[in-house]
Amino acid sequence: MKTLPLLSATALLLATSFSSQAQPEYDQIARGSYIATLGDCTACHTTDEKQPFAGGVKLQTPFGTLVGANITPDRETGIGDWSYDDFRRAMNTGVGHNGKRLYGAMPFTAYTKMSEKDLQDLWAWMQTLQPIHHPVETNQLPFPFNIRTSLIVWNWINFDKGEFKPNPDKSAEWNRGAYLVEGLGHCGTCHSPKNLLGGDKNGRFLGGSEVEDWYAPNLDASDHTGLGKWTQQDIVTYLRTGVNRYAIASGPMADAVRHSTQHWREDDLNAVAVYLKEGDKKADEKPKPLDAGDDRMKLGATIYEAKCSACHSPGGRGEKNIFPQLADNPLINQPNATSLMHVVLAGSRGVDTDARPTAPAMPAFAGTLSDDHIAAVLTYIRNSWGNAAAPVEASEVKKMKEELR
């Protein structure tokens, strides 16, 4: 008569054991660290790897220079005297300790969408950072932009407060991707065009924008200038390794891949890819390419053959995972050729990642090609092999060259 209860107790014990194994203990600090990686806190708050999150990163804006703050728990120069409520208010509303208003370069306009749990875990992890005494003068803007009370008006025009609300008509994976792109990953901070005040333009989320002598491209689902031709795997591969058939991450995006996206979980990368591939297709009329008989095209073809074809192939096909294809490439078709000019003038080395520690390099041509020749070869590339985009002017190349000096 005692056998059945004994077996039942044993079964319950085994079930409890298996259940505890299937559900590992929640590690708030580890989760907070991962949230910091998703949010790429390193990008704005670490200049020296030996002093992580001690601030000092200079951010060039159209209005002047801002500097990333020290966010270590140092009481004098960091946020050691902040409470969780101070932190939460800064992330949710852009108002920090003692009512200090934050500029939009700190992407609270996106972080406002973060969940309470993510904020709590991120804060718990931040308390474990080594306090580093490192004074930072964050506001280096000229008058009148250095007056923080003006941000009351800026917020009224450019900021909508509120936690992310899942779309019930979409899958859980899509909603996770939306949360990461719109909120924690703050992709729109670079990839959305800006108004005269530096806020995101309504209705053009992820439509492309110029950032510090680079062009953050359009990320909507359009074919000609967006991600319509990219597969989900193209997006995942690019974010994981910094390379795919269309692009090699360089400039600010190289830093984002190196410090952030290469360390994302596979399910999060896939969620972002799902969200982006289901994005809007804005009016994306393909312009008529320049005629091959145009003098700029003929000159550009000659220069391309002499200087570019060895790596990118005569037909712009590139070399898989080494030199991106130029043919039928939405990145080439962007309305703004800033990134193309930057790479050709100054050269570039692709991002090194754990998956691809050796990165290919692009030589600089500022000292070997004239402004006219660089404009011609870029015009040729932007209007050949299925591409079609506005020609590049020598005056644009000259201006970029002066900015890069």
Side-chain angles (χ1 to χ4, degrees):
M1 296 295 293
K2 295 183 179 180
T3 302
L4 186 58
L6 179 60
L7 289 174
S8 299
T10 302
L12 179 61
L13 180 62
L14 288 172
T16 304
S17 175
F18 289 136
S19 176
S20 65
Q21 290 178 19
Q23 299 178 0
E25 184 178 352
Y26 172 60
D27 188 334
Q28 184 179 36
I29 305 305
R31 189 172 186 277
S33 177
Y34 181 63
I35 292 167
T37 299
L38 291 173
D40 196 12
C41 300
T42 296
C44 292
H45 298 286
T46 300
T47 51
D48 183 352
E49 292 183 359
K50 296 179 181 178
Q51 293 188 315
F53 305 105
V57 177
K58 290 187 177 181
L59 307 172
Q60 303 301 330
T61 78
F63 310 100
T65 302
L66 293 168
V67 182
N70 181 345
I71 58 171
T72 72
D74 182 69
R75 296 190 66 84
E76 294 183 4
T77 64
I79 60 172
D81 59 348
W82 285 38
S83 67
Y84 171 70
D85 286 340
D86 290 330
F87 172 72
R88 184 178 184 275
R89 186 168 59 250
M91 298 290 280
N92 278 345
T93 69
V95 179
H97 186 58
N98 293 328
K100 185 177 182 179
R101 291 187 173 272
L102 307 180
Y103 288 91
M106 189 283 188
F108 63 88
T109 53
Y111 290 157
T112 189
K113 297 179 181 293
M114 289 178 63
S115 69
E116 186 70 22
K117 180 181 179 182
D118 281 357
L119 285 170
Q120 290 173 346
D121 291 352
L122 178 60
W123 176 250
W125 168 78
M126 292 175 70
Q127 303 315 295
T128 70
L129 296 176
Q130 176 68 35
I132 298 173
H133 187 85
H134 182 223
V136 175
E137 180 55 52
T138 57
N139 185 355
Q140 299 184 13
L141 300 178
F143 181 82
F145 306 115
N146 61 339
I147 307 300
R148 290 182 183 267
T149 51
S150 65
L151 295 174
I152 297 174
V153 177
W154 191 95
N155 283 9
W156 180 71
I157 296 173
N158 297 297
F159 174 51
D160 294 319
K161 180 181 180 297
E163 185 177 329
F164 175 79
K165 301 298 183 185
N167 184 337
D169 297 326
K170 295 290 187 178
S171 67
E173 186 175 37
W174 184 95
N175 277 296
R176 175 63 176 174
Y179 176 75
L180 292 172
V181 172
E182 298 175 14
L184 190 49
H186 62 280
C187 303
T189 301
C190 289
H191 288 274
S192 293
K194 309 304 176 190
N195 58 32
L196 292 176
L197 296 178
D200 293 346
K201 286 187 177 180
N202 293 331
R204 297 191 60 192
F205 182 62
L206 302 181
S209 182
E210 190 169 341
V211 181
E212 295 186 310
D213 295 326
W214 294 90
Y215 189 74
N218 174 18
L219 298 182
D220 71 17
S222 304
D223 287 334
H224 189 60
T225 62
L227 298 178
K229 295 177 181 177
W230 290 38
T231 65
Q232 289 185 22
Q233 190 56 51
D234 284 333
I235 296 172
V236 170
T237 299
Y238 179 75
L239 295 176
R240 170 70 73 205
T241 70
V243 177
N244 69 12
R245 56 181 169 151
Y246 290 114
I248 296 178
S250 55
M253 192 61 203
D255 289 334
V257 172
R258 180 181 295 111
H259 298 298
S260 182
T261 61
Q262 71 159 320
H263 304 295
W264 289 22
R265 295 193 310 257
E266 199 71 15
D267 60 325
D268 280 339
L269 293 175
N270 281 306
V272 166
V274 167
Y275 171 78
L276 291 176
K277 285 298 295 178
E278 293 187 24
D280 293 333
K281 285 195 174 186
K282 299 291 191 299
D284 192 34
E285 295 182 6
K286 182 177 180 178
K288 183 179 179 180
L290 290 183
D291 189 272
D294 186 288
D295 288 342
R296 293 166 293 184
M297 292 290 286
K298 290 191 288 186
L299 175 60
T302 300
I303 298 168
Y304 181 86
E305 181 180 2
K307 300 291 185 180
C308 313
S309 62
C311 293
H312 292 284
S313 86
R317 297 184 305 276
E319 186 66 36
K320 185 177 180 180
N321 294 332
I322 301 177
F323 306 114
Q325 73 175 60
L326 303 179
D328 199 23
N329 187 333
L331 296 177
I332 302 295
N333 295 318
Q334 298 299 308
N336 184 313
T338 294
S339 290
L340 297 178
M341 289 189 291
H342 194 141
V343 168
V344 172
L345 284 168
S348 178
R349 178 171 291 280
V351 60
D352 54 295
T353 59
D354 293 344
R356 295 182 58 82
T358 302
M362 167 85 176
F365 289 97
T368 57
L369 292 177
S370 69
D371 298 345
D372 287 329
H373 284 184
I374 290 175
V377 73
L378 289 178
T379 296
Y380 171 74
I381 292 169
R382 281 164 62 82
N383 288 276
S384 299
W385 320 303
N387 297 326
V392 177
E393 303 296 333
S395 59
E396 297 177 273
V397 177
K398 181 180 179 180
K399 180 182 178 182
M400 170 68 73
K401 186 183 292 183
E402 291 172 350
E403 291 175 351
L404 293 177
R405 284 175 181 165

PDB file of all heavy atoms in Angstrom, residues 268-288:
ATOM      1  N   ASP A 268      18.050  36.761 -32.435  1.00  0.00           N
ATOM      2  CA  ASP A 268      17.852  38.202 -32.531  1.00  0.00           C
ATOM      3  C   ASP A 268      18.240  38.722 -33.914  1.00  0.00           C
ATOM      4  O   ASP A 268      17.562  39.604 -34.474  1.00  0.00           O
ATOM      5  CB  ASP A 268      18.656  38.929 -31.448  1.00  0.00           C
ATOM      6  CG  ASP A 268      17.968  38.893 -30.092  1.00  0.00           C
ATOM      7  OD1 ASP A 268      16.740  38.676 -30.056  1.00  0.00           O
ATOM      8  OD2 ASP A 268      18.646  39.088 -29.061  1.00  0.00           O
ATOM      9  N   LEU A 269      19.322  38.192 -34.486  1.00  0.00           N
ATOM     10  CA  LEU A 269      19.702  38.591 -35.838  1.00  0.00           C
ATOM     11  C   LEU A 269      18.604  38.206 -36.836  1.00  0.00           C
ATOM     12  O   LEU A 269      18.254  38.993 -37.725  1.00  0.00           O
ATOM     13  CB  LEU A 269      21.018  37.925 -36.237  1.00  0.00           C
ATOM     14  CG  LEU A 269      22.272  38.374 -35.475  1.00  0.00           C
ATOM     15  CD1 LEU A 269      23.473  37.536 -35.894  1.00  0.00           C
ATOM     16  CD2 LEU A 269      22.552  39.850 -35.715  1.00  0.00           C
ATOM     17  N   ASN A 270      18.067  37.020 -36.686  1.00  0.00           N
ATOM     18  CA  ASN A 270      16.990  36.591 -37.579  1.00  0.00           C
ATOM     19  C   ASN A 270      15.736  37.431 -37.405  1.00  0.00           C
ATOM     20  O   ASN A 270      15.033  37.728 -38.381  1.00  0.00           O
ATOM     21  CB  ASN A 270      16.674  35.114 -37.342  1.00  0.00           C
ATOM     22  CG  ASN A 270      17.664  34.184 -38.022  1.00  0.00           C
ATOM     23  OD1 ASN A 270      17.895  34.293 -39.221  1.00  0.00           O
ATOM     24  ND2 ASN A 270      18.263  33.279 -37.273  1.00  0.00           N
ATOM     25  N   ALA A 271      15.449  37.823 -36.177  1.00  0.00           N
ATOM     26  CA  ALA A 271      14.272  38.657 -35.918  1.00  0.00           C
ATOM     27  C   ALA A 271      14.411  40.009 -36.617  1.00  0.00           C
ATOM     28  O   ALA A 271      13.456  40.507 -37.231  1.00  0.00           O
ATOM     29  CB  ALA A 271      14.079  38.851 -34.417  1.00  0.00           C
ATOM     30  N   VAL A 272      15.588  40.597 -36.553  1.00  0.00           N
ATOM     31  CA  VAL A 272      15.837  41.862 -37.244  1.00  0.00           C
ATOM     32  C   VAL A 272      15.674  41.691 -38.749  1.00  0.00           C
ATOM     33  O   VAL A 272      15.076  42.534 -39.431  1.00  0.00           O
ATOM     34  CB  VAL A 272      17.242  42.394 -36.903  1.00  0.00           C
ATOM     35  CG1 VAL A 272      17.657  43.508 -37.857  1.00  0.00           C
ATOM     36  CG2 VAL A 272      17.273  42.902 -35.468  1.00  0.00           C
ATOM     37  N   ALA A 273      16.200  40.596 -39.280  1.00  0.00           N
ATOM     38  CA  ALA A 273      16.095  40.341 -40.716  1.00  0.00           C
ATOM     39  C   ALA A 273      14.634  40.194 -41.141  1.00  0.00           C
ATOM     40  O   ALA A 273      14.220  40.728 -42.182  1.00  0.00           O
ATOM     41  CB  ALA A 273      16.884  39.088 -41.086  1.00  0.00           C
ATOM     42  N   VAL A 274      13.844  39.486 -40.346  1.00  0.00           N
ATOM     43  CA  VAL A 274      12.418  39.327 -40.648  1.00  0.00           C
ATOM     44  C   VAL A 274      11.724  40.681 -40.659  1.00  0.00           C
ATOM     45  O   VAL A 274      10.941  41.005 -41.570  1.00  0.00           O
ATOM     46  CB  VAL A 274      11.754  38.381 -39.629  1.00  0.00           C
ATOM     47  CG1 VAL A 274      10.231  38.459 -39.719  1.00  0.00           C
ATOM     48  CG2 VAL A 274      12.217  36.946 -39.853  1.00  0.00           C
ATOM     49  N   TYR A 275      11.993  41.486 -39.651  1.00  0.00           N
ATOM     50  CA  TYR A 275      11.364  42.809 -39.551  1.00  0.00           C
ATOM     51  C   TYR A 275      11.733  43.694 -40.740  1.00  0.00           C
ATOM     52  O   TYR A 275      10.864  44.328 -41.357  1.00  0.00           O
ATOM     53  CB  TYR A 275      11.791  43.474 -38.244  1.00  0.00           C
ATOM     54  CG  TYR A 275      11.383  44.921 -38.134  1.00  0.00           C
ATOM     55  CD1 TYR A 275      10.082  45.272 -37.817  1.00  0.00           C
ATOM     56  CD2 TYR A 275      12.311  45.941 -38.347  1.00  0.00           C
ATOM     57  CE1 TYR A 275       9.700  46.607 -37.720  1.00  0.00           C
ATOM     58  CE2 TYR A 275      11.950  47.275 -38.249  1.00  0.00           C
ATOM     59  CZ  TYR A 275      10.644  47.607 -37.938  1.00  0.00           C
ATOM     60  OH  TYR A 275      10.270  48.927 -37.858  1.00  0.00           O
ATOM     61  N   LEU A 276      13.018  43.740 -41.084  1.00  0.00           N
ATOM     62  CA  LEU A 276      13.458  44.610 -42.174  1.00  0.00           C
ATOM     63  C   LEU A 276      12.913  44.138 -43.526  1.00  0.00           C
ATOM     64  O   LEU A 276      12.523  44.955 -44.363  1.00  0.00           O
ATOM     65  CB  LEU A 276      14.982  44.677 -42.220  1.00  0.00           C
ATOM     66  CG  LEU A 276      15.652  45.413 -41.055  1.00  0.00           C
ATOM     67  CD1 LEU A 276      17.169  45.310 -41.165  1.00  0.00           C
ATOM     68  CD2 LEU A 276      15.221  46.875 -41.005  1.00  0.00           C
ATOM     69  N   LYS A 277      12.867  42.830 -43.728  1.00  0.00           N
ATOM     70  CA  LYS A 277      12.377  42.325 -45.010  1.00  0.00           C
ATOM     71  C   LYS A 277      10.880  42.560 -45.177  1.00  0.00           C
ATOM     72  O   LYS A 277      10.381  42.588 -46.309  1.00  0.00           O
ATOM     73  CB  LYS A 277      12.689  40.825 -45.146  1.00  0.00           C
ATOM     74  CG  LYS A 277      14.138  40.524 -45.450  1.00  0.00           C
ATOM     75  CD  LYS A 277      14.578  41.114 -46.794  1.00  0.00           C
ATOM     76  CE  LYS A 277      13.849  40.480 -47.956  1.00  0.00           C
ATOM     77  NZ  LYS A 277      14.253  41.102 -49.264  1.00  0.00           N
ATOM     78  N   GLU A 278      10.145  42.728 -44.083  1.00  0.00           N
ATOM     79  CA  GLU A 278       8.718  43.007 -44.169  1.00  0.00           C
ATOM     80  C   GLU A 278       8.436  44.506 -44.086  1.00  0.00           C
ATOM     81  O   GLU A 278       7.292  44.921 -43.898  1.00  0.00           O
ATOM     82  CB  GLU A 278       7.964  42.270 -43.066  1.00  0.00           C
ATOM     83  CG  GLU A 278       7.975  40.751 -43.224  1.00  0.00           C
ATOM     84  CD  GLU A 278       7.083  40.042 -42.224  1.00  0.00           C
ATOM     85  OE1 GLU A 278       6.130  40.678 -41.720  1.00  0.00           O
ATOM     86  OE2 GLU A 278       7.330  38.866 -41.935  1.00  0.00           O
ATOM     87  N   GLY A 279       9.483  45.308 -44.249  1.00  0.00           N
ATOM     88  CA  GLY A 279       9.316  46.755 -44.163  1.00  0.00           C
ATOM     89  C   GLY A 279       8.576  47.332 -45.353  1.00  0.00           C
ATOM     90  O   GLY A 279       8.295  46.651 -46.345  1.00  0.00           O
ATOM     91  N   ASP A 280       8.290  48.623 -45.255  1.00  0.00           N
ATOM     92  CA  ASP A 280       7.576  49.306 -46.329  1.00  0.00           C
ATOM     93  C   ASP A 280       8.446  49.417 -47.574  1.00  0.00           C
ATOM     94  O   ASP A 280       9.676  49.465 -47.498  1.00  0.00           O
ATOM     95  CB  ASP A 280       7.171  50.718 -45.877  1.00  0.00           C
ATOM     96  CG  ASP A 280       6.129  50.686 -44.777  1.00  0.00           C
ATOM     97  OD1 ASP A 280       5.379  49.703 -44.713  1.00  0.00           O
ATOM     98  OD2 ASP A 280       6.073  51.655 -43.991  1.00  0.00           O
ATOM     99  N   LYS A 281       7.792  49.452 -48.700  1.00  0.00           N
ATOM    100  CA  LYS A 281       8.469  49.757 -49.963  1.00  0.00           C
ATOM    101  C   LYS A 281       8.027  51.148 -50.383  1.00  0.00           C
ATOM    102  O   LYS A 281       6.934  51.331 -50.915  1.00  0.00           O
ATOM    103  CB  LYS A 281       8.119  48.727 -51.040  1.00  0.00           C
ATOM    104  CG  LYS A 281       8.798  47.387 -50.860  1.00  0.00           C
ATOM    105  CD  LYS A 281       8.699  46.551 -52.133  1.00  0.00           C
ATOM    106  CE  LYS A 281       9.512  45.271 -51.995  1.00  0.00           C
ATOM    107  NZ  LYS A 281       9.553  44.503 -53.257  1.00  0.00           N
ATOM    108  N   LYS A 282       8.877  52.111 -50.095  1.00  0.00           N
ATOM    109  CA  LYS A 282       8.550  53.485 -50.472  1.00  0.00           C
ATOM    110  C   LYS A 282       8.612  53.627 -51.996  1.00  0.00           C
ATOM    111  O   LYS A 282       9.103  52.760 -52.710  1.00  0.00           O
ATOM    112  CB  LYS A 282       9.551  54.445 -49.817  1.00  0.00           C
ATOM    113  CG  LYS A 282       9.549  54.404 -48.297  1.00  0.00           C
ATOM    114  CD  LYS A 282       8.272  54.964 -47.741  1.00  0.00           C
ATOM    115  CE  LYS A 282       8.352  55.187 -46.242  1.00  0.00           C
ATOM    116  NZ  LYS A 282       8.584  53.969 -45.474  1.00  0.00           N
ATOM    117  N   ALA A 283       8.122  54.769 -52.480  1.00  0.00           N
ATOM    118  CA  ALA A 283       8.224  55.050 -53.906  1.00  0.00           C
ATOM    119  C   ALA A 283       9.683  54.957 -54.312  1.00  0.00           C
ATOM    120  O   ALA A 283      10.525  55.712 -53.839  1.00  0.00           O
ATOM    121  CB  ALA A 283       7.672  56.443 -54.191  1.00  0.00           C
ATOM    122  N   ASP A 284       9.996  54.017 -55.160  1.00  0.00           N
ATOM    123  CA  ASP A 284      11.389  53.697 -55.464  1.00  0.00           C
ATOM    124  C   ASP A 284      11.574  53.594 -56.978  1.00  0.00           C
ATOM    125  O   ASP A 284      12.001  52.574 -57.497  1.00  0.00           O
ATOM    126  CB  ASP A 284      11.763  52.381 -54.768  1.00  0.00           C
ATOM    127  CG  ASP A 284      13.269  52.124 -54.777  1.00  0.00           C
ATOM    128  OD1 ASP A 284      14.032  53.096 -54.702  1.00  0.00           O
ATOM    129  OD2 ASP A 284      13.657  50.953 -54.854  1.00  0.00           O
ATOM    130  N   GLU A 285      11.208  54.651 -57.654  1.00  0.00           N
ATOM    131  CA  GLU A 285      11.300  54.645 -59.104  1.00  0.00           C
ATOM    132  C   GLU A 285      12.770  54.639 -59.532  1.00  0.00           C
ATOM    133  O   GLU A 285      13.562  55.460 -59.098  1.00  0.00           O
ATOM    134  CB  GLU A 285      10.585  55.866 -59.693  1.00  0.00           C
ATOM    135  CG  GLU A 285       9.085  55.883 -59.445  1.00  0.00           C
ATOM    136  CD  GLU A 285       8.420  57.084 -60.093  1.00  0.00           C
ATOM    137  OE1 GLU A 285       9.133  57.817 -60.810  1.00  0.00           O
ATOM    138  OE2 GLU A 285       7.217  57.267 -59.865  1.00  0.00           O
ATOM    139  N   LYS A 286      13.084  53.697 -60.379  1.00  0.00           N
ATOM    140  CA  LYS A 286      14.458  53.574 -60.861  1.00  0.00           C
ATOM    141  C   LYS A 286      14.699  54.606 -61.957  1.00  0.00           C
ATOM    142  O   LYS A 286      14.026  54.598 -62.994  1.00  0.00           O
ATOM    143  CB  LYS A 286      14.691  52.161 -61.396  1.00  0.00           C
ATOM    144  CG  LYS A 286      16.110  51.910 -61.871  1.00  0.00           C
ATOM    145  CD  LYS A 286      16.265  50.465 -62.326  1.00  0.00           C
ATOM    146  CE  LYS A 286      17.676  50.205 -62.815  1.00  0.00           C
ATOM    147  NZ  LYS A 286      17.858  48.791 -63.227  1.00  0.00           N
ATOM    148  N   PRO A 287      15.651  55.518 -61.757  1.00  0.00           N
ATOM    149  CA  PRO A 287      15.909  56.518 -62.788  1.00  0.00           C
ATOM    150  C   PRO A 287      16.563  55.873 -64.009  1.00  0.00           C
ATOM    151  O   PRO A 287      17.084  54.762 -63.949  1.00  0.00           O
ATOM    152  CB  PRO A 287      16.865  57.494 -62.095  1.00  0.00           C
ATOM    153  CG  PRO A 287      17.551  56.680 -61.059  1.00  0.00           C
ATOM    154  CD  PRO A 287      16.532  55.681 -60.595  1.00  0.00           C
ATOM    155  N   LYS A 288      16.547  56.584 -65.085  1.00  0.00           N
ATOM    156  CA  LYS A 288      17.207  56.097 -66.289  1.00  0.00           C
ATOM    157  C   LYS A 288      18.706  56.322 -66.153  1.00  0.00           C
ATOM    158  O   LYS A 288      19.145  57.428 -65.841  1.00  0.00           O
ATOM    159  CB  LYS A 288      16.683  56.839 -67.520  1.00  0.00           C
ATOM    160  CG  LYS A 288      17.270  56.334 -68.825  1.00  0.00           C
ATOM    161  CD  LYS A 288      16.691  57.090 -70.012  1.00  0.00           C
ATOM    162  CE  LYS A 288      17.304  56.598 -71.312  1.00  0.00           C
ATOM    163  NZ  LYS A 288      16.757  57.326 -72.498  1.00  0.00           N
TER     164      LYS A 288
END
